[in-house]
Amino acid sequence: MSLEMERRVAKLEQEMMDLRQELEGLKRQKSVEKTSTLSPRKPIIEQSTPKPAQNLKPKTTAPEKKMQPQRTLEERIMWALPKLFMVILVMGVLWGLKLVSDYGYLSNEVKIILAYTLSLALAAIAYALEHKKIGSSAITISLYGGAFIVGILTTAASAILYEIIGLTMALVIAVVYIGYGIAISYLKKNEVLTIFVAFTSLLLPYLLEYMDFSPIIILIYVVVLFTMLQFVIHQHKQKLALYIATFFSELAVSIIAFMNNDNRVVFAIGFLVVLTIFYTSWCCLYNAESKLKYIHVGLQFSLGAFSLLLLNFIISPIEYSEALLLILVCLFAALAGYGYKQKWQEAFDSAVTLAFITLFNTLLVMNFPEKVDHLLIPFITFAGVMMSLRLRISLMKVVSSFLFMITLALSFIIHGPTPLFSIDHASLIMPGIYLLIIYLYARRPKETLTVFEKLMKDLYVIDFLAVITTGYFLAYTGKLDVTYFTGVGNIPHLMCIILALLFAGSLLVPTKYKGRALTPVLSVFFILFTLMLEVIPYNMQGVEWLNIVTRIVYIAVIVAIVIDLLMNGRIYQIYQEKIEKRLDPIVSAGVVLSMISVWGLISQLTYNSLLDWKLSIAFSTITLFLTASIALWLSTLRNLRTLRITGFIILVIAFIKLIFFDLSALDLLIRAALFITIGGIGLLLSGRLLRK
């Protein structure tokens, strides 16, 4: 017994040594602040019990994120009130000076001196409050901004309105105030102050234009000012100030360019420099993780499109304006490349779209040989759609598709199929081929769908693209028909034949290839054209053989569909789930349409004098009895109740026509042949029905 106790004690001592080594290892790790030691109060067996592995792992504490408190709406209003009251104060001072001037108490010189004194006093008060730490920062910023406002307005009034200060001196004072404004914007880190300084400073180019300064100097001033503002904007992450400063800088360059026609190339280059600086700053400030990233991308895209519009106005008198547009294409392409490298999908999307729009615009201003641009412009829009589909860029899909549909409509309206071998005819055909390629490429399977692609799928966009593609080819066939076969007022029978064949073909193609909307739309038009060809007598005019062939094709298509459904053919197998419960009414409608189509064929033959009118009456009656017999026979075979009722109704109509119309209209020979034929058909039908 003593030996066993000694073994147990030795084993426990070994475990104790192991535990102590583990505790020493835990003490060395930085992540563990406190380590537990063996308690002498606990029994040795309890202390020697090995603890779970997870308790021996060091506990790592994640660094706490510093949450910046967000201002409430009430706090924002309180911060905005000093700025608002400062503007009101400045307006009150200006109106007071005007009132004093109206009564003649003060001369213009004294008013200007008082205004400058007010400006300096506001800046001094703001500095004193800030130095002594009296009042809030909102009051201090408002005073600094008020000093800038009063100084700039006083300088403009003294130089332009009162002509007290020389123009050169006024320019120097204005530059000093602008430097002061940029300095306080940088030091006070207030975005509203930066926006106002940028807006007010960019009014100086109009003063310089009034002073007859060189347009090149004015352009350099705008570019330098915009560049200096970037230090403030980039340092304090002032994105809204960036957009507003860019907008007014581009506007200033454009207005000065419109007022000087001699240096348009220089102004266009300066405009591109401003735009390049903007996109450089935008890339530095863009945050792909921000919740407002879509707003920033949208503002960037809007400014890009607005810049393209202004650049078109600037370069309109320039001879080789496409070269400047190509530089802009390269700028947007560089932005797209940087966005792709940084994996900014939205920024990449908008930049590629802007590059495509600019390239399209460049081609529009180029001077091509006659009618070559009619082929090139649809191709460029088609290439843009294919690029957007390949890169899966949502915004570019919308823009390029919109441009492509416009060029598609214009190409169809402008061009015609005459002469047969011409650029006009090719310009009419190629957009339809582009549509087909776009549809086939857009239908390709994808492993995952983006949010935009899911939305387009839910809205049946790709499915309706198949309808648009088919409709374009039908419209093209209609133009061929009107040009080469029928007159303007006649029905385009060739188009009707193509419609029937496309409808029959769409029934044989699975839905994953043709889309969900093509067959329903074609079926509606097929039924409409079937009724229109038979009901309206005017449609019998035109080319005789084409009218007859059209009617035969429609009859063949309807009969083929009915036979396929009754024989459980390919059409029945594709649409089995939808047709199985509606087979009876569909077959009944097919039988009735077949009968109407045969009647139309008989009327067409009679109209073209290919069939005697008495024989046409007999054949129409035979058609009624034959249709009724087939309907009753098929209803018995497949147990179709609606078809049986349809057969009986047609049979009643046939007897009424035979008794009340045919007996008086037909001579004895035709009457005898008719009754023999109908009697034979009736006996055969009766035997079949009784057998069943």
Side-chain angles (χ1 to χ4, degrees), residues 453-681:
E453 289 170 344
K454 290 179 181 178
L455 178 62
M456 294 299 99
K457 183 179 180 181
D458 294 337
L459 294 177
Y460 288 72
V461 173
I462 304 299
D463 303 290
F464 281 108
L465 180 59
V467 177
I468 295 173
T469 305
T470 306
Y472 187 87
F473 279 106
L474 286 174
Y476 166 71
T477 308
K479 273 200 168 186
L480 286 177
D481 204 346
V482 171
T483 304
Y484 294 104
F485 295 100
T486 63
V488 178
N490 293 330
I491 294 294
H493 289 87
L494 184 61
M495 185 186 73
C496 296
I497 294 174
I498 301 298
L499 172 65
L501 296 177
L502 286 174
F503 172 63
S506 70
L507 293 174
L508 301 173
V509 178
T511 306
K512 65 178 181 179
Y513 298 115
K514 65 182 177 182
R516 296 168 288 179
L518 181 60
T519 299
V521 173
L522 286 178
S523 63
V524 171
F525 280 96
F526 177 79
I527 295 172
L528 178 65
F529 274 79
T530 302
L531 296 175
M532 185 176 64
L533 288 171
E534 314 306 333
V535 174
I536 304 176
Y538 181 74
N539 295 331
M540 295 179 184
Q541 300 178 7
V543 182
E544 294 182 4
W545 67 269
L546 196 56
N547 291 355
I548 295 172
V549 170
T550 303
R551 298 178 187 277
I552 293 174
V553 168
Y554 272 73
I555 294 171
V557 169
I558 297 171
V559 172
I561 293 173
V562 172
I563 293 175
D564 184 279
L565 295 178
L566 292 173
M567 300 294 292
N568 297 339
R570 180 176 177 82
I571 299 175
Y572 180 84
Q573 293 175 5
I574 293 176
Y575 301 96
Q576 184 174 1
E577 295 181 0
K578 299 178 180 179
I579 287 180
E580 195 167 5
K581 296 181 180 179
R582 303 181 182 89
L583 181 62
D584 193 0
I586 292 175
V587 172
S588 302
V591 169
V592 173
L593 284 177
S594 301
M595 181 191 69
I596 295 175
S597 300
V598 172
W599 266 16
L601 178 60
I602 294 172
S603 301
Q604 183 70 54
L605 294 174
T606 306
Y607 178 83
N608 294 332
S609 302
L610 299 175
L611 185 67
D612 185 70
W613 68 272
K614 294 182 180 180
L615 290 176
S616 67
I617 294 175
F619 283 139
S620 61
T621 305
I622 292 173
T623 301
L624 284 172
F625 278 101
L626 190 60
T627 304
S629 303
I630 293 173
L632 293 173
W633 176 54
L634 292 176
S635 66
T636 306
L637 288 176
R638 298 297 300 269
N639 194 20
L640 302 175
R641 185 172 180 275
T642 304
L643 183 60
R644 184 181 298 109
I645 295 173
T646 303
F648 281 123
I649 293 174
I650 295 174
L651 188 61
V652 171
I653 295 173
F655 275 115
I656 293 174
K657 181 178 183 299
L658 178 64
I659 296 173
F660 293 99
F661 295 96
D662 295 353
L663 289 177
S664 59
L666 301 176
D667 55 26
L668 186 60
L669 177 61
I670 297 177
R671 191 187 309 166
L674 176 62
F675 272 70
I676 291 172
T677 304
I678 293 174
I681 294 173

Side-chain angles (χ1 to χ4, degrees), residues 50-111:
K51 297 180 181 180
Q54 60 267 23
N55 293 337
L56 297 177
K57 292 182 179 179
K59 296 181 181 179
T60 57
T61 56
E64 295 182 359
K65 294 182 179 179
K66 295 181 179 180
M67 298 297 293
Q68 296 181 354
Q70 294 184 353
R71 295 175 183 173
T72 62
L73 178 61
E74 182 179 355
E75 291 174 342
R76 293 178 182 177
I77 294 175
M78 295 297 294
W79 273 79
L81 283 178
K83 304 176 184 64
L84 177 62
F85 288 132
M86 177 54 65
V87 174
I88 294 174
L89 175 63
V90 171
M91 293 177 63
V93 171
L94 292 175
W95 285 335
L97 291 174
K98 184 178 184 303
L99 181 64
V100 172
S101 177
D102 291 341
Y103 283 98
Y105 295 136
L106 297 175
S107 63
N108 294 334
E109 292 81 1
V110 175
K111 287 189 294 183

Side-chain angles (χ1 to χ4, degrees), residues 372-388:
V372 173
D373 55 339
H374 294 183
L375 284 173
L376 188 58
I377 291 175
F379 175 75
I380 293 299
T381 56
F382 161 71
V385 176
M386 293 299 293
M387 183 186 301
S388 65

